[in-house]
Short mmCIF file of all heavy atoms in Angstrom, two decimals:
data_model
loop_
_atom_site.label_atom_id
_atom_site.label_comp_id
_atom_site.label_asym_id
_atom_site.label_seq_id
_atom_site.Cartn_x
_atom_site.Cartn_y
_atom_site.Cartn_z
N THR C 315 31.22 -4.39 11.87
CA THR C 315 32.07 -3.31 11.39
C THR C 315 32.03 -3.23 9.87
O THR C 315 31.91 -2.13 9.29
CB THR C 315 33.51 -3.57 11.86
OG1 THR C 315 33.48 -3.88 13.27
CG2 THR C 315 34.37 -2.32 11.68
N GLU C 316 32.16 -4.41 9.23
CA GLU C 316 32.21 -4.40 7.76
C GLU C 316 30.90 -3.92 7.22
O GLU C 316 30.91 -3.12 6.23
CB GLU C 316 32.52 -5.85 7.27
CG GLU C 316 32.89 -5.91 5.82
CD GLU C 316 32.90 -7.37 5.38
OE1 GLU C 316 33.15 -8.23 6.19
OE2 GLU C 316 32.73 -7.61 4.16
N TYR C 317 29.83 -4.39 7.68
CA TYR C 317 28.46 -3.99 7.13
C TYR C 317 28.26 -2.51 7.32
O TYR C 317 27.76 -1.83 6.36
CB TYR C 317 27.42 -4.85 7.82
CG TYR C 317 25.96 -4.65 7.21
CD1 TYR C 317 25.44 -5.51 6.34
CD2 TYR C 317 25.21 -3.52 7.55
CE1 TYR C 317 24.16 -5.36 5.85
CE2 TYR C 317 23.91 -3.29 7.07
CZ TYR C 317 23.46 -4.24 6.16
OH TYR C 317 22.19 -4.10 5.63
N THR C 318 28.55 -1.99 8.46
CA THR C 318 28.27 -0.55 8.74
C THR C 318 29.16 0.24 7.81
O THR C 318 28.70 1.33 7.41
CB THR C 318 28.62 -0.26 10.19
OG1 THR C 318 28.26 -1.35 11.00
CG2 THR C 318 27.74 0.88 10.67
N ALA C 319 30.38 -0.18 7.61
CA ALA C 319 31.28 0.62 6.76
C ALA C 319 30.79 0.65 5.34
O ALA C 319 30.84 1.71 4.65
CB ALA C 319 32.70 0.05 6.83
N LYS C 320 30.23 -0.46 4.86
CA LYS C 320 29.81 -0.58 3.52
C LYS C 320 28.45 0.04 3.22
O LYS C 320 28.02 0.33 2.13
CB LYS C 320 29.73 -2.07 3.06
CG LYS C 320 30.97 -2.71 2.78
CD LYS C 320 30.77 -3.97 1.86
CE LYS C 320 32.08 -4.58 1.60
NZ LYS C 320 32.12 -5.98 1.78
N ASN C 321 27.67 0.19 4.34
CA ASN C 321 26.27 0.71 4.11
C ASN C 321 25.93 1.90 4.95
O ASN C 321 25.36 1.77 5.99
CB ASN C 321 25.31 -0.48 4.46
CG ASN C 321 25.39 -1.60 3.48
OD1 ASN C 321 25.01 -1.52 2.35
ND2 ASN C 321 25.95 -2.72 3.99
N LYS C 322 26.31 3.06 4.46
CA LYS C 322 26.12 4.27 5.29
C LYS C 322 24.68 4.76 5.17
O LYS C 322 24.30 5.72 5.90
CB LYS C 322 27.10 5.37 4.82
CG LYS C 322 28.54 4.99 4.89
CD LYS C 322 29.21 5.75 6.05
CE LYS C 322 30.77 5.60 6.03
NZ LYS C 322 31.18 4.34 6.54
N ASP C 323 23.90 4.22 4.24
CA ASP C 323 22.56 4.82 4.02
C ASP C 323 21.48 4.21 4.90
O ASP C 323 20.31 4.62 4.85
CB ASP C 323 22.20 4.76 2.54
CG ASP C 323 22.27 3.33 2.03
OD1 ASP C 323 22.79 2.44 2.76
OD2 ASP C 323 21.82 3.06 0.90
N HIS C 324 21.85 3.13 5.62
CA HIS C 324 20.79 2.60 6.54
C HIS C 324 21.53 1.81 7.61
O HIS C 324 22.75 1.52 7.60
CB HIS C 324 19.85 1.64 5.81
CG HIS C 324 20.49 0.41 5.30
ND1 HIS C 324 21.08 0.32 4.08
CD2 HIS C 324 20.59 -0.82 5.86
CE1 HIS C 324 21.55 -0.90 3.90
NE2 HIS C 324 21.25 -1.59 4.97
N LYS C 325 20.83 1.55 8.74
CA LYS C 325 21.45 0.89 9.91
C LYS C 325 21.29 -0.65 9.75
O LYS C 325 20.33 -1.13 9.17
CB LYS C 325 20.69 1.32 11.17
CG LYS C 325 20.77 2.75 11.49
CD LYS C 325 21.95 3.04 12.30
CE LYS C 325 22.08 4.51 12.74
NZ LYS C 325 21.98 5.43 11.66
N ILE C 326 22.28 -1.37 10.22
CA ILE C 326 22.27 -2.81 10.18
C ILE C 326 21.07 -3.30 11.03
O ILE C 326 20.72 -2.67 12.01
CB ILE C 326 23.55 -3.38 10.73
CG1 ILE C 326 23.69 -4.91 10.42
CG2 ILE C 326 23.76 -3.08 12.19
CD1 ILE C 326 25.01 -5.47 10.72
N CYS C 327 20.40 -4.39 10.53
CA CYS C 327 19.31 -4.85 11.27
C CYS C 327 19.12 -6.33 11.16
O CYS C 327 19.98 -7.03 10.51
CB CYS C 327 17.98 -4.16 10.71
SG CYS C 327 17.71 -4.46 9.01
N ASN C 328 18.07 -6.86 11.64
CA ASN C 328 17.83 -8.29 11.71
C ASN C 328 17.87 -8.85 10.28
O ASN C 328 18.35 -9.99 10.02
CB ASN C 328 16.41 -8.48 12.37
CG ASN C 328 16.06 -9.96 12.51
OD1 ASN C 328 16.90 -10.72 13.13
ND2 ASN C 328 14.97 -10.32 12.09
N TRP C 329 17.28 -8.14 9.31
CA TRP C 329 17.24 -8.64 7.92
C TRP C 329 18.60 -8.78 7.34
O TRP C 329 18.87 -9.59 6.50
CB TRP C 329 16.36 -7.70 7.10
CG TRP C 329 14.94 -7.66 7.55
CD1 TRP C 329 14.19 -8.71 7.93
CD2 TRP C 329 14.14 -6.47 7.77
NE1 TRP C 329 12.94 -8.32 8.30
CE2 TRP C 329 12.88 -6.90 8.19
CE3 TRP C 329 14.34 -5.10 7.55
CZ2 TRP C 329 11.80 -6.11 8.49
CZ3 TRP C 329 13.32 -4.25 7.77
CH2 TRP C 329 12.04 -4.71 8.31
N SER C 330 19.51 -7.90 7.86
CA SER C 330 20.89 -7.95 7.28
C SER C 330 21.51 -9.33 7.50
O SER C 330 22.03 -9.94 6.55
CB SER C 330 21.73 -6.89 7.94
OG SER C 330 21.12 -5.67 7.93
N TRP C 331 21.42 -9.85 8.72
CA TRP C 331 22.11 -11.12 9.04
C TRP C 331 21.36 -12.29 8.37
O TRP C 331 22.01 -13.24 7.88
CB TRP C 331 22.38 -11.33 10.47
CG TRP C 331 21.24 -11.80 11.33
CD1 TRP C 331 20.44 -11.05 12.13
CD2 TRP C 331 20.75 -13.14 11.48
NE1 TRP C 331 19.51 -11.81 12.81
CE2 TRP C 331 19.63 -13.10 12.37
CE3 TRP C 331 21.12 -14.38 10.89
CZ2 TRP C 331 18.91 -14.24 12.70
CZ3 TRP C 331 20.33 -15.53 11.31
CH2 TRP C 331 19.31 -15.46 12.13
N GLU C 332 20.04 -12.21 8.33
CA GLU C 332 19.29 -13.25 7.77
C GLU C 332 19.60 -13.45 6.29
O GLU C 332 19.61 -14.58 5.78
CB GLU C 332 17.78 -13.03 7.99
CG GLU C 332 17.32 -13.13 9.38
CD GLU C 332 15.93 -12.75 9.61
OE1 GLU C 332 15.36 -11.99 8.86
OE2 GLU C 332 15.34 -13.24 10.61
N ASN C 333 19.75 -12.36 5.63
CA ASN C 333 20.06 -12.47 4.14
C ASN C 333 21.53 -12.86 3.90
O ASN C 333 21.83 -13.62 3.01
CB ASN C 333 19.80 -11.10 3.45
CG ASN C 333 18.33 -11.01 3.19
OD1 ASN C 333 17.80 -11.43 2.17
ND2 ASN C 333 17.57 -10.40 4.16
N ALA C 334 22.45 -12.39 4.77
CA ALA C 334 23.82 -12.81 4.64
C ALA C 334 23.92 -14.31 4.83
O ALA C 334 24.62 -15.06 4.18
CB ALA C 334 24.69 -12.13 5.69
N THR C 335 23.10 -14.83 5.88
CA THR C 335 23.06 -16.26 6.11
C THR C 335 22.45 -17.04 4.89
O THR C 335 23.05 -18.08 4.52
CB THR C 335 22.22 -16.53 7.35
OG1 THR C 335 22.78 -15.82 8.39
CG2 THR C 335 22.15 -18.06 7.67
N GLY C 336 21.43 -16.52 4.34
CA GLY C 336 20.87 -17.20 3.18
C GLY C 336 21.87 -17.34 2.02
O GLY C 336 22.00 -18.35 1.40
N ALA C 337 22.52 -16.19 1.80
CA ALA C 337 23.60 -16.11 0.76
C ALA C 337 24.68 -17.14 1.09
O ALA C 337 25.17 -17.85 0.21
CB ALA C 337 24.14 -14.75 0.65
N THR C 338 25.07 -17.18 2.39
CA THR C 338 26.14 -18.16 2.69
C THR C 338 25.79 -19.56 2.49
O THR C 338 26.57 -20.41 1.93
CB THR C 338 26.52 -18.01 4.24
OG1 THR C 338 26.76 -16.66 4.48
CG2 THR C 338 27.78 -18.81 4.57
N PHE C 339 24.53 -19.97 2.87
CA PHE C 339 24.14 -21.31 2.61
C PHE C 339 24.10 -21.59 1.12
O PHE C 339 24.56 -22.64 0.64
CB PHE C 339 22.65 -21.53 3.15
CG PHE C 339 22.62 -21.97 4.54
CD1 PHE C 339 22.14 -21.16 5.57
CD2 PHE C 339 23.01 -23.26 4.93
CE1 PHE C 339 22.07 -21.54 6.87
CE2 PHE C 339 22.96 -23.74 6.27
CZ PHE C 339 22.49 -22.84 7.28
N MET C 340 23.69 -20.61 0.33
CA MET C 340 23.62 -20.79 -1.13
C MET C 340 25.03 -20.98 -1.67
O MET C 340 25.25 -21.87 -2.46
CB MET C 340 23.01 -19.56 -1.73
CG MET C 340 23.13 -19.44 -3.21
SD MET C 340 22.50 -17.88 -3.87
CE MET C 340 23.86 -16.83 -3.47
#
Side-chain angles (χ1 to χ4, degrees):
Chain C
T315 313
E316 191 188 337
Y317 186 98
T318 328
K320 283 202 179 134
N321 294 289
K322 301 253 190 282
D323 54 353
H324 66 273
K325 299 271 183 307
I326 190 171
C327 60
N328 186 53
W329 297 315
S330 312
W331 80 259
E332 290 176 333
N333 281 272
T335 303
T338 308
F339 272 110
M340 169 187 77

